[in-house]
Amino acid sequence: MRLILLGPPGAGKGTQAAFLAREYGILKLSTGDMLRSAAQAGDEFGENLRQVMSSGGLVADSIIIDIIRKEVSGDGCAKGFILDGFPRTVVQAQALDTMLEEIQCGLDSVIELVVDHDALVERISGRFSCDGCGEGYHDSYKPLKKEGICDVCGGVHFTRREDDNAQTVAKRLRAYQEQTAPLLPYYEKKHMLRQVDGMLPMQQVEERIREILAHL
Ligand code: AP5
């Protein structure tokens, strides 16, 4: 199964990608996670990435396309993949089409998570994750079961993302409208786009996605 999850910052792409990876045993390719990990390397390249991401802009297409090309052609993708955060521009979508043609694979579906603007800001501002295992949480929507302790690995250290502040979020939302939203008509023309109400509680969003995938 080869899927793309589309939607603005905070729509729930990472949350649903993690669910799909567990449920269907397919690889989750999150460009945001890959870039954040590359940004921690402490070299000049990492520092440049960190600056672009913390400004709310998009990293250059050529960098992202190279990263994804290596992943998509690797063995880990043989069973399929979920793309979370890629493509984000029409140039990236066209590059993905070419990569998939080269390995003679097709996309199965592009799922857009539709969420109101105000809810996006609230979701992003309440988000944090475990430093140990990366499990994502939210102050209101997915709180820790035990104060200060990760439900999954028992870790006690948590991080809030550097780009999750009000000013950067506004820029990320603008970048989405200007550069990523044009992908919706791009995939609609290919009859691949399916919309899911991302305002529903997480488990209901999972259920809607399961229904779409059952019909593929
Ligand atoms: P990236 O990491 O991809 O961030 P994003 O697209 O801004 O998306 P988010 O991770 O903020 O949100 P999400 O949709 O995954 O929501 P989540 O599941 O966490 O990219 C970061 C940066 O990297 C970009 O700004 C750019 O600079 C760069 N970049 C990445 N890819 C790139 C590319 N291809 N090209 C160029 N640059 C690139 O959910 C949010 C919160 O809401 C969580 O706390 C969650 O618990 C909660 N939540 C989730 N679902 C629900 C629900 N149904 N109800 C209530 N709460 C919910």
Side-chain angles (χ1 to χ4, degrees), residues 96-122:
L96 177 64
D97 288 345
T98 308
M99 283 176 224
L100 293 175
E101 262 170 46
E102 281 166 12
I103 57 168
Q104 298 182 335
C105 287
L107 272 179
D108 293 298
S109 193
V110 178
I111 298 177
E112 179 198 1
L113 299 174
V114 184
V115 176
D116 296 349
H117 176 276
D118 290 352
L120 295 173
V121 176
E122 197 194 344

Side-chain angles (χ1 to χ4, degrees), residues 8-15 31-32 35-36 53 57-59 64 85-86 88 92 123 127 137-138 141 161 163 172 198 200-202 205:
K13 303 179 298 294
T15 303
T31 43
L35 291 170
R36 274 184 289 280
M53 293 167 80
L58 294 187
V59 171
I64 300 290
F86 179 93
R88 238 176 169 101
Q92 293 180 18
R123 284 185 187 183
R127 170 171 60 184
Y137 294 96
H138 189 280
Y141 303 121
R161 271 169 48 180
D163 59 347
R172 285 162 59 198
L200 293 169
M202 288 176 213
V205 177

Side-chain angles (χ1 to χ4, degrees), residues 162-182:
E162 196 181 339
D163 59 347
D164 280 354
N165 61 75
Q167 202 184 6
T168 308
V169 168
K171 287 192 193 153
R172 285 162 59 198
L173 289 169
R174 209 160 44 240
Y176 177 80
Q177 283 311 326
E178 290 171 3
Q179 298 179 74
T180 309

